[in-house]
Amino acid sequence: MELEAYFQSYEGYFWEWTTDEDVPDPSGYHENNLISIPNVGAIAYRPYVIEVLKELKDQGFPPFGALLLVLYALQDGYLNMDGVFYYLKKHSESFGTEKKDDIEPAMRFLKNLNSLGSSVKKGQNKMVLLKTVFKNTHNILSAGNSELIIKVFEKRPYKISASAEKKPLTFSVVNNDIKVLALLQNTFSTTEAIIESLKSVVDIPGLEDEVVQEETTVDNGKDFIQELTEDPKTFQVGSLIKRIWSGLKIPMRHLSPGEQPIGGISDMTNKGDFNRMLLSEFANEDEVFMNRVANHEALYIQREVPPEENIFERIILIDTSLKNWGTPKVLAFASAIAVIKHPKAHSECKIFALGQNIIPISLNTTDEVIDHLNQVSPVLEVSQALEKFFNEEHTEKELEVFFITNQENLEHQKLQRVIHENRDRLKFLVTTSSNGELNFYKHHKGTRKHVQKMVLPLKELWANPPKHKQGQAGSGNGIKVLVPQNYPLLFPTPKDRMKTFLYEGEFYILSNKKQLLKTYLSDNYYNRNIYQNTSIQRGCEVVLEDISVKPGGQFSLTKNKSGDYILAQYRPARNILSKLNLVTKEYSELNLTGQNIPPGYRLLYFNKSFYLHEEHAPFVFKAGTEGNISIEQVKNDDEIYRNDVKNEAEINRLKDRGIKILSNFTRIGINAADELVVSKWALTKHDENAYSFDKNTEEITVWSAQHKNKFTFGDGSEVVTDSRGMMTFMSSNKNIPAFYVPSTHYGYLALATEKEFGGSEYYLPKETKLKVREMDDMYSDYMDAFIKHILEYGA
């Protein structure tokens, strides 16, 4: 098999070659350097995949698609496995029943890999795991052929471009990939089987703990609490648990009747029938005897009970709605772990997160605690999920349920009703608050009794958080979805900026987010019949990001002989003149204290040089654009001032112009009018071909679940937000391509795909190959179809 054939991509298949322009490839060929699952997420960068293949070449390469599925399942952090399974199921339906028999075991194998402990899925241990599972696997390439593919790639990496051109998908391609995973499931039917196979290959520290992770007992509770306290991400939760233990008054263990005392002193009571009274009581004087009986001081023997099993099942429900976010949620998780890991709690306990859905969770490792702390449901209260829990999913009566929620949530009438109707099974109600107050209530014989109030000194307990361990900041948990530097349409131009420049007829902006932006004025500026800002100026594109510059002072921009952008900065308060190459990051500065530069001098650019200039001064200071920063005193030239006046007049066209950008995305959903809702704004049609975000007045019918900057709907459709003012929509319906909409609360919007554009010309790039269409047609073909697919899934 040749290189092109092994790395070949296919139309409609679960993976594709893409290009990340921001990440250079060590091979020198920077195109097609990333492998991703459309509308799901990245699998891996090409250099990493090549390194994995180099490790496997001695035993032969497995089918490339099977390898990619395994690599994705072994990633840490949040994974959209449902999105992957969507593709696999779709292909099983396309190619008949033969593939359906393999799909289910293939998916089970990927789930088993995904549920392995993190120590197995990192570094060299991960390579050992890959070698183990793919050793002598089905349809493997020979070692010689595998080594030849690596050699060809090292000499001619650009050959990948031929593989990136997608071919029609065939049955044999799917069969090769899925069959491998199905057979691996037969060999490694459980996570324990995978761990056992690794033990025979290599000694991995902590490997014994990987199997037991799912059934953690109280024996390691003390160590677990210590781990939570030492980890900066779980410190707040861990530091509360022992304090909660010290004051907790609810029963931690229910003894089964078979464990009750049936003899000796512990079997005596001061209430009972006369036939159970101790004979020694009748030896008292009559008056003493009657007093003991009347005052419940007489002793009786308890009735013996035959042994039987404890029939109660303990369940903890944690409210993850919007109002239970922040400190109340930290208290909720600390309370749940305090109940589960209490030294006297020997019974098993199930935990569920209540939000838009009922999600079973586990809190046995720090990674699990971090992951679930980061999850938030977009609903305001969880009465619907709580009612569903009792009436549909857990109808049995032998339950002991703890429900943990924010005190404010109890004001909702719907939630009050559900709690009251299920008070026989909802034994304990725990409420949290932002000031550290915990209240425990118990339902007994139809009434709610306040058991205890506990106020945790949060300021004291959280006074000394642990410092981040080295390398911890880059952990895979809670990482945002990466966004591109630019999109097919322009960004909205921000109002907040450090400086606006005019260089060689082009407008540039140094934004407060330390980006260099390029913006435009349209030809309509000189048309007096057009008065709207959005018809005069255009949006912007990002030229460079992450500029290391301190705010304040004066700025000027140019390019050097190599074409690199050079940013000069003059800070009069500190008498510092500096110069930064925005491409190479080369920086130099000069202290001007000895030059005695008077106040009022301004930093300007003129004729390939920077100047510290004052209109009436006979001499000014000149600094070159090449090399390290240095200045010389030169005679003033009137042309410098006249050029500056012209530049300022042009720049004033952009003065106070800009759009209010929606950057704080709290929730995304669909309202009763079938409109997209972002935070409190609904995407509404105003006139023909005119759409904008206005305040939402309709009830929200469908919410998405948020994970950092990604919002996922129930059907798998996703919205990825970019705080610079852009949203990416990726439908689970593969007939709807990815499309983009600006997130601004001003003026009319636009909608674009990689090939088409509709809406306000404000967002249309100056030089573009996009096909321009009517906005109504674009909205109907993309946004309306996106929303309808989500609603049809919910129905």
Side-chain angles (χ1 to χ4, degrees):
M1 179 178 284
E2 296 184 355
L3 177 145
E4 294 91 334
Y6 183 72
F7 293 114
Q8 183 62 52
S9 58
Y10 299 93
E11 295 174 356
Y13 205 24
F14 76 90
W15 68 275
E16 63 182 3
W17 289 101
T18 57
T19 301
D20 187 344
E21 298 176 352
D22 298 330
V23 180
D25 193 281
S27 68
Y29 175 66
H30 307 303
E31 301 294 321
N32 303 307
N33 61 350
L34 177 65
I35 303 172
S36 63
I37 304 172
N39 303 322
V40 173
I43 298 176
Y45 282 92
R46 190 179 68 212
Y48 177 76
V49 175
I50 296 299
E51 289 303 314
V52 170
L53 291 173
K54 286 180 180 178
E55 292 285 336
L56 297 175
K57 64 182 174 64
D58 292 335
Q59 66 184 47
F61 293 165
F64 193 57
L67 175 63
L68 294 180
L69 286 169
V70 169
L71 287 177
Y72 185 77
L74 289 176
Q75 288 185 29
D76 278 332
Y78 174 81
L79 295 181
N80 187 1
M81 296 301 294
D82 291 337
V84 177
F85 295 156
Y86 164 83
Y87 281 97
L88 301 186
K89 291 176 182 177
K90 183 179 75 171
H91 297 313
S92 71
E93 294 169 359
S94 304
F95 292 117
T97 56
E98 182 178 349
K99 276 273 84 26
K100 287 184 179 180
D101 296 337
D102 291 334
I103 286 292
E104 290 302 322
M107 291 193 301
R108 284 200 301 273
F109 178 71
L110 293 175
K111 286 180 180 177
N112 288 341
L113 289 176
N114 185 242
S115 61
L116 288 172
S118 58
S119 65
V120 182
K121 298 188 288 186
K122 292 180 181 177
Q124 193 57 37
N125 295 348
K126 188 175 183 178
M127 292 298 183
V128 174
L129 175 61
L130 291 172
K131 287 182 179 180
T132 303
V133 298
F134 284 126
K135 187 175 183 181
N136 301 322
T137 190
H138 177 70
N139 206 24
I140 198 171
L141 290 184
S142 66
N145 198 351
S146 302
E147 187 170 4
L148 181 61
I149 290 175
I150 292 295
K151 287 182 177 179
V152 171
F153 174 80
E154 290 176 339
K155 291 182 178 179
R156 292 180 284 276
Y158 57 84
K159 284 200 165 206
I160 291 288
S161 61
S163 303
E165 294 291 329
K166 295 181 180 179
K167 292 183 177 180
L169 185 62
T170 61
F171 171 80
S172 61
V173 173
V174 181
N175 183 58
N176 288 344
D177 294 338
I178 304 304
K179 193 70 176 178
V180 167
L181 301 180
L183 293 174
L184 287 174
Q185 172 61 20
N186 294 336
T187 308
F188 308 100
S189 57
T190 62
T191 54
E192 288 83 358
I194 299 174
I195 296 298
E196 287 300 321
S197 65
L198 287 177
K199 288 181 185 177
S200 62
V201 177
V202 67
D203 181 23
I204 300 177
L207 196 59
E208 296 287 344
D209 301 331
E210 297 297 343
V211 181
V212 222
Q213 264 188 344
E214 298 175 2
E215 39 184 77
T216 308
T217 60
V218 214
D219 296 335
N220 66 348
K222 183 178 178 181
D223 296 333
F224 175 58
I225 305 306
Q226 190 67 26
E227 288 177 15
L228 292 176
T229 308
E230 293 174 355
D231 192 311
K233 295 180 181 178
T234 56
F235 163 73
Q236 289 184 318
V237 172
S239 60
L240 302 179
I241 294 173
K242 290 185 179 179
R243 186 63 67 97
I244 296 175
W245 277 352
S246 65
L248 207 54
K249 296 179 181 177
I250 61 175
M252 283 295 105
R253 185 185 182 194
H254 285 288
L255 298 178
S256 66
E259 295 174 308
Q260 302 290 349
I262 54 174
I265 296 174
S266 61
D267 212 10
M268 294 181 184
T269 179
N270 58 357
K271 293 181 181 180
D273 298 327
F274 280 104
N275 62 336
R276 304 293 298 171
M277 187 180 292
L278 294 184
L279 295 177
S280 58
E281 294 293 346
F282 294 99
N284 291 310
E285 297 285 337
D286 290 346
E287 187 177 350
V288 174
F289 175 79
M290 293 304 295
N291 280 330
R292 285 183 63 81
V293 173
N295 295 321
H296 300 296
E297 295 174 355
L299 298 177
Y300 303 81
I301 298 175
Q302 287 181 328
R303 179 176 61 87
E304 294 184 7
V305 180
E308 61 181 71
E309 294 183 0
N310 184 5
I311 58 175
F312 285 96
E313 181 182 11
R314 175 168 284 178
I315 292 177
I316 296 179
L317 306 178
I318 301 178
D319 185 340
T320 61
S321 63
L322 290 171
K323 281 198 173 181
N324 205 40
W325 184 248
T327 300
K329 190 169 188 180
V330 172
L331 267 65
F333 275 79
S335 303
I337 296 172
V339 173
I340 301 165
K341 301 294 182 182
H342 196 280
K344 294 182 180 179
H346 296 286
S347 56
E348 291 186 2
C349 184
K350 294 179 181 178
I351 317 159
F352 295 88
L354 297 188
Q356 199 168 12
N357 299 303
I358 303 167
I359 304 172
I361 63 174
S362 174
L363 298 175
N364 292 323
T365 66
T366 54
D367 287 340
E368 289 173 341
V369 175
I370 293 169
D371 189 43
H372 296 307
L373 276 172
N374 286 332
Q375 301 295 328
V376 59
S377 179
V379 296
L380 293 175
E381 49 88 18
V382 294
S383 59
Q384 188 174 355
L386 186 62
E387 187 172 27
K388 183 179 178 182
F389 176 86
F390 285 116
N391 297 342
E392 298 180 23
E393 299 196 3
H394 290 76
T395 56
E396 63 272 23
K397 293 184 178 180
E398 294 76 20
L399 296 178
E400 185 186 62
V401 180
F402 286 71
F403 177 47
I404 307 176
T405 186
N406 189 346
Q407 181 72 40
E408 295 180 7
N409 287 339
L410 295 183
E411 298 174 2
H412 290 281
Q413 293 183 356
K414 291 182 180 178
L415 191 60
Q416 290 178 6
R417 176 184 58 80
V418 176
I419 292 174
H420 181 74
E421 291 175 351
N422 297 279
R423 60 192 181 279
D424 293 336
R425 288 181 291 169
L426 184 54
K427 297 296 174 65
F428 290 96
L429 177 64
V430 184
T431 63
T432 63
S433 65
S434 56
N435 63 358
E437 182 178 309
L438 288 173
N439 283 282
F440 293 83
Y441 301 89
K442 181 178 180 180
H443 285 119
H444 183 63
K445 294 183 179 180
T447 60
R448 184 189 302 172
K449 178 184 177 183
H450 186 263
V451 178
Q452 69 176 120
K453 174 182 176 180
M454 191 183 300
V455 180
L456 301 173
L458 300 182
K459 191 172 182 180
E460 172 194 331
L461 295 172
W462 294 346
N464 298 305
K467 296 181 180 180
H468 283 272
K469 298 175 183 177
Q470 188 174 3
Q472 192 172 11
S475 73
N477 290 303
I479 296 178
K480 286 187 175 182
V481 177
L482 296 177
V483 293
Q485 180 170 304
N486 285 293
Y487 295 86
L489 68 174
L490 297 175
F491 286 104
T493 305
K495 283 188 175 182
D496 299 326
R497 58 190 72 172
M498 296 186 192
K499 177 68 176 176
T500 305
F501 310 101
L502 178 65
Y503 176 73
E504 294 186 353
E506 301 283 357
F507 292 97
Y508 295 88
I509 293 173
L510 182 62
S511 73
N512 282 3
K513 293 186 177 181
K514 299 184 178 180
Q515 297 173 314
L516 183 64
L517 311 173
K518 188 176 182 180
T519 187
Y520 315 94
L521 284 175
S522 73
D523 297 336
N524 293 330
Y525 182 82
Y526 297 99
N527 186 343
R528 298 194 177 191
N529 296 321
I530 298 177
Y531 55 87
Q532 292 180 354
N533 289 344
T534 52
S535 299
I536 296 170
Q537 79 180 93
R538 295 284 176 90
C540 60
E541 62 185 54
V542 177
V543 180
L544 293 165
E545 293 186 295
D546 300 324
I547 297 174
S548 179
V549 61
K550 296 178 180 178
Q554 304 169 18
F555 297 92
S556 189
L557 182 74
T558 186
K559 287 184 180 180
N560 62 10
K561 292 179 181 178
S562 303
D564 297 342
Y565 287 97
I566 305 296
L567 180 69
Q569 183 180 14
Y570 175 47
R571 286 177 282 170
R574 298 187 58 193
N575 285 318
I576 296 292
L577 178 65
S578 62
K579 188 178 65 174
L580 173 66
N581 186 315
L582 301 185
V583 179
T584 64
K585 310 299 183 185
E586 295 177 13
Y587 175 82
S588 63
E589 67 176 35
L590 184 64
N591 193 319
L592 303 176
T593 304
Q595 300 291 339
N596 296 319
I597 299 176
Y601 273 64
R602 295 173 55 242
L603 179 64
L604 308 176
Y605 171 77
F606 173 73
N607 196 20
K608 300 182 181 179
S609 296
F610 295 114
Y611 288 87
L612 289 176
H613 184 271
E614 204 279 325
E615 178 187 357
H616 304 292
F619 291 94
V620 293
F621 298 89
K622 178 181 177 181
T625 58
E626 304 291 336
N628 291 331
I629 189 79
S630 62
I631 65 169
E632 59 176 325
Q633 197 172 43
V634 297
K635 189 176 180 180
N636 198 353
D637 186 348
D638 291 341
E639 189 62 28
I640 300 176
Y641 176 70
R642 286 195 293 268
N643 182 75
D644 181 53
V645 171
K646 291 178 183 178
N647 285 349
E648 287 299 316
E650 291 292 315
I651 289 173
N652 280 338
R653 299 180 183 182
L654 298 176
K655 191 175 182 180
D656 298 328
R657 300 280 173 81
I659 287 182
K660 184 177 180 181
I661 297 173
L662 301 178
S663 58
N664 186 18
F665 301 92
T666 54
R667 48 185 182 160
I668 293 179
I670 299 169
N671 65 16
D674 296 349
E675 297 169 334
L676 180 80
V677 177
V678 178
S679 297
K680 59 180 179 179
W681 310 102
L683 182 57
T684 308
K685 180 176 181 178
H686 283 261
D687 301 304
E688 185 179 357
N689 291 309
Y691 294 78
S692 67
F693 277 112
D694 286 334
K695 191 167 184 179
N696 178 49
T697 58
E698 302 285 344
E699 182 185 358
I700 308 301
T701 57
V702 179
W703 286 109
S704 61
Q706 180 184 5
H707 184 82
K708 294 294 183 182
N709 64 328
K710 180 168 70 174
F711 295 79
T712 307
F713 288 94
D715 71 321
S717 297
E718 295 176 345
V719 181
V720 177
T721 61
D722 188 333
S723 60
R724 298 172 296 175
M726 197 67 66
M727 295 184 295
T728 303
F729 294 80
M730 296 177 288
S731 177
S732 60
N733 181 353
K734 302 312 161 193
N735 295 320
I736 305 174
F739 61 94
Y740 313 91
V741 175
S743 56
T744 60
H745 179 225
Y746 182 86
Y748 298 142
L749 297 175
L751 188 153
T753 66
E754 297 290 342
K755 298 179 180 179
E756 298 178 321
F757 175 93
S760 172
E761 289 188 5
Y762 175 88
Y763 298 100
L764 184 64
K766 194 172 185 179
E767 297 177 1
T768 180
K769 295 181 180 179
L770 294 175
K771 177 184 177 182
V772 178
R773 299 176 57 198
E774 296 287 348
M775 181 60 175
D776 282 345
D777 295 335
M778 292 291 288
Y779 185 91
S780 175
D781 290 350
Y782 299 108
M783 181 62 76
D784 196 37
F786 179 87
I787 292 173
K788 283 182 178 178
H789 189 268
I790 294 171
L791 297 177
E792 288 171 0
Y793 175 86

